[in-house]
Structure formats: structure tokens, C-alpha cells
Amino acid sequence: MKKLTLCAGAACFAAGLALTLPTTALAQDDVAWPDYFTVVTPIVGTGNHSLAVAWTSEFSAQTSSRARVLPAPNGYARAEWLTTGEGDIVMFQTSDYFDQMDAIAGYATVQGGPADTRVIGMNLILPWGYMVPGNSDIESITDIGPGTRIAYSPSSSFLVTGIDALLAYNGLSHDDVELVEVGNYGANTRIVVEGRAEIAFTSPVSGPSFEAEAAPNGIRWLPLPPRDENPEAYDRLRKLHPGYVELETSAGVDSALGLAMDHVYQPNHMPADADADFVYNLIKWQDEHLADFVDDFTYADMMSIESLESFLEVGARQPFHEGLIRYLDEIGVWNDTYQARQDQLVALAQDRVALWQDTLAAAEEQGISVAPDNAEFRALWDQKKADAGVTMSYGEMVLALD
């Protein structure tokens, strides 16, 4: 364990790829910024939304450009908004990215499926784990058993997968426990505090967790057991959680600090062919002006170049944008090892997008509706992957590159 210190169809997708907004040259630094751009985040109250407000407010104050923050209701909407051009910059944590490339659940739409997007900078590196009330009898994730009441939010795929991974560790299925369904991220935590559920998968960094810790009974977090304690169970969990890295928790509510938890990198993305000069200039501004907004949000320091280096050191699991690479190379961070991995990640992503586009074309030809709940389309997508020799999830394929 490491310690962390701290539209429809291809034509519509292509039309929304590049940032082509009107630009205004700034006399003070000769950068031709767009007149405005939109940063899509998770809902209000989440760390990523608060962080986006912090840096975009400072950016807009210092330049003639205006950055608008647009919260999306869930991860599926964030993906679609980037594809359709409603948003220019979107946060994709690694697990979201993997699920999108597999067209899991709500990503199985024309606009929300696999897309060639690239990392343009880091937001947060967040711990995720299993929270219980402070007075709970549950001491370990191995205490989860038949009849346990579990908070279950299908609003985002990573929340669903977090519960599925917990069940997989214990050799359980949905039918073995009581899933208490909620409609959003905040409710996912609140129902545990209210006693309607016994455990939830959530982050100790989020606002709802701080509220929960302040409740009369407080909260506790269940540490992730080391692999050598039960290798088979751990591997079942990791198979569903390939986008996470086990680290010691150093951020969030006091009750989580020092515990072993899964952590996920949460970078911002833009389409692969978004303007490289814009990406270069934006990451350079964020790096050079981090001190100007670092005190405006508790974890703003995670936007640092050091966080990007950490992502690279653990084996970056999402490809970087050429504008970001240009800046990292300029400041001496990029190297041949990172470039070799970048080449692999780009090839994997482009192959997956091509396979998805082929599947969409086949669905249109056969009159099959592209929808998450359409079993006929799901069967077509599975067959296309099988025909292409795809036998693993996208996350497993990325891990196999290591």
C-alpha cells in the first residue's frame, strides 16, 4: 500500500470535439483565450464542483475569458454533454472512464458511449470506501452478509460498482442483501445517518460525509483488507474496481484518516482533438496560479503538477492530451516511459471507439435502438466485442498494459 501525501452518430461527435469558441487575445500575456468555456462537474455539494468554482472564479477574474461551471446530475450526463458540445471540459474519474469505454449501464447511448477523450489536468485524488454509522456493529467489510441493508444509488455507474465490488468480495449477490435505492449521491449518505441503510459506498472528502460525521452517532469507515488476508476475495473486488489504487487515506473526515482505502484519480478531460494550444495554456495557468486559489477550497492543492506525476507513476490509466504533454515536457516531467504508455493507451482507446462506431452503424442498419435497457442492443455490443477478440473489461485491458 502506498501513502498519498498529498447529437447522434459519429458526425455529431466530431462536430463537438474541438473548442472553437470566439477568442480574445490578452495584452498581459498574449494568450488567445476563448471568450468563454464551460466546465462540467458533478452536482453542487461535491468536492469537484467546489474546486471548479474556486479555480474558474480566479481564472475569470484574471483574464478576459469567462469559465462557466455547469453541474450535471450524474456521470452519464457528463459524458453526453462533452460529446454533444454542451460542455467543453468534463471530469472523468478513472472508473467512470472505464465504464464509458465499456458502455456500462447509462453509458450505452449514442452520445454517452466510448469516446476518444484525453486528460488535460488533475482535479482531485479521492478516497472511496464503505461508511457505517458510528454505533454500528459492522466492523469489517467481511461482516456484510445476507439481509444487510445497503444504500444503492444507480445515478452513477461507479456507485453501483462500489456496491457490486463489496458483494463480490463476500461472494454475495444482489438477492442476498437488501438494496435501499436512492436517487442521488447526497441521499446515498443520508439514509445511513437516518438508519434506513447500514452501509454506503461514498467518499470521506465529500460534503455529505462531513455532515454525517457531525450527526449524533457519527460515522466510521471500514478499511480495505490487504490482499494477503484473502487473495481470492480481494481479486474479485479488484476485478470490478480496476480503476482504483489502494492508498492510506490522508484527506477527508477525521474518522477516515489513516485507513487503507481505494483511491481514484479524477482528472478533467477534453476531446482528443480539442485545441492543443488552449490545453497547454490552461494547464500552464493552473500551475503558475495555483497559489491564487489554493486557499479557496480545502483540497485545491490536489490540482498540482505533483498530482499528475503521481498518476503517471502509478501507471496512468487514461491517455493525456497533446497540449498537456507539451507542457509536462517543457517543465521536465514527461519522459520516454510515459510516452510509451501513452501510445498504448491511445491505441486502446481508438480501437474501442472504432468498435463502438461500428456497433452503432450495425444497430442503425438492423433497426436496433441504442439504449441501456435494450437487451437486443446489449447482445449486439457483446457480439461485436467477442468478434474483435475482446475478452476482458476495458479496465482489465488497461491494467494488462502494466
Side-chain angles (χ1 to χ4, degrees), residues 265-285:
Y265 288 82
Q266 296 188 319
N268 276 327
H269 275 232
M270 291 187 74
D273 68 351
D275 183 68
D277 289 338
F278 171 79
V279 175
Y280 168 87
N281 288 320
L282 183 61
I283 187 62
K284 182 176 182 177
W285 181 91

Side-chain angles (χ1 to χ4, degrees), residues 159-207:
L159 293 175
V160 172
T161 306
I163 298 306
D164 289 346
L166 171 66
L167 297 178
Y169 187 95
N170 290 290
L172 301 172
S173 70
H174 285 195
D175 293 336
D176 295 320
V177 297
E178 182 181 345
L179 299 178
V180 185
E181 188 167 324
V182 295
N184 58 57
Y185 180 75
N188 183 62
T189 296
R190 285 195 298 273
I191 65 168
V192 174
V193 177
E194 295 167 357
R196 292 190 286 138
E198 299 173 82
I199 186 170
F201 178 69
T202 187
S203 174
V205 169
S206 66

Side-chain angles (χ1 to χ4, degrees), residues 12-336:
C12 180
F13 176 68
L17 284 176
L19 188 70
T20 56
L21 301 173
T23 59
T24 300
L26 300 180
Q28 69 259 37
D29 59 6
D30 295 325
V31 173
W33 295 111
D35 289 340
Y36 64 89
F37 57 90
T38 300
V39 181
V40 179
T41 73
I43 62 173
V44 175
T46 59
N48 276 287
H49 179 268
S50 299
L51 177 57
V53 170
W55 77 259
T56 58
S57 296
E58 189 64 34
F59 175 87
S60 296
Q62 292 190 18
T63 71
S64 62
S65 182
R66 292 295 175 265
R68 180 175 68 125
V69 176
L70 181 63
N74 52 56
Y76 311 129
R78 294 200 303 273
E80 292 197 358
W81 290 0
L82 184 61
T83 300
T84 61
E86 186 167 351
D88 299 303
I89 298 173
V90 173
M91 189 283 289
F92 275 128
Q93 70 176 37
T94 305
S95 58
D96 287 334
Y97 178 76
F98 288 171
D99 286 345
Q100 183 193 22
M101 298 303 264
D102 277 329
I104 294 294
Y107 292 110
T109 65
V110 172
Q111 296 93 346
D116 191 6
T117 67
R118 306 286 172 84
V119 172
I120 68 161
M122 189 59 64
N123 275 346
L124 301 173
I125 307 171
L126 287 191
W128 287 92
Y130 301 100
M131 183 200 75
V132 299
N135 59 354
S136 172
D137 293 331
I138 299 175
E139 299 291 339
S140 165
I141 67 171
T142 60
D143 293 335
I144 305 304
T148 302
R149 289 175 288 114
I150 301 176
Y152 189 76
S153 176
S155 60
S156 290
S157 64
F158 74 90
L159 293 175
V160 172
T161 306
I163 298 306
D164 289 346
L166 171 66
L167 297 178
Y169 187 95
N170 290 290
L172 301 172
S173 70
H174 285 195
D175 293 336
D176 295 320
V177 297
E178 182 181 345
L179 299 178
V180 185
E181 188 167 324
V182 295
N184 58 57
Y185 180 75
N188 183 62
T189 296
R190 285 195 298 273
I191 65 168
V192 174
V193 177
E194 295 167 357
R196 292 190 286 138
E198 299 173 82
I199 186 170
F201 178 69
T202 187
S203 174
V205 169
S206 66
S209 294
F210 281 91
E211 295 173 7
E213 186 164 81
N217 291 323
I219 54 175
R220 287 189 292 104
W221 300 82
L222 309 181
L224 183 65
R227 185 179 184 277
D228 58 9
E229 183 173 306
N230 190 334
E232 291 184 1
Y234 186 93
D235 290 346
R236 289 196 300 268
L237 178 145
R238 186 58 65 220
K239 181 179 177 65
L240 295 176
H241 260 191
Y244 294 77
V245 180
E246 186 179 346
L247 300 168
E248 181 179 312
T249 303
S250 60
V253 293
D254 290 343
S255 55
L257 300 180
L259 297 180
M261 286 189 187
D262 267 343
H263 286 61
V264 69
Y265 288 82
Q266 296 188 319
N268 276 327
H269 275 232
M270 291 187 74
D273 68 351
D275 183 68
D277 289 338
F278 171 79
V279 175
Y280 168 87
N281 288 320
L282 183 61
I283 187 62
K284 182 176 182 177
W285 181 91
Q286 289 175 340
D287 183 30
E288 294 178 348
H289 295 271
L290 179 62
D292 296 340
F293 60 86
V294 72
D295 294 330
D296 296 337
F297 176 65
T298 307
Y299 305 112
D301 60 314
M302 292 187 187
M303 286 188 73
S304 67
I305 295 297
E306 287 72 21
S307 289
L308 283 168
E309 289 188 81
S310 172
F311 191 36
L312 290 165
E313 288 166 3
V314 301
R317 299 174 184 186
Q318 304 172 54
F320 282 29
H321 195 280
E322 63 174 301
L324 173 59
I325 293 173
R326 186 200 307 173
Y327 183 70
L328 294 178
D329 186 53
E330 181 179 288
I331 62 176
V333 169
W334 198 251
N335 60 42
D336 291 343

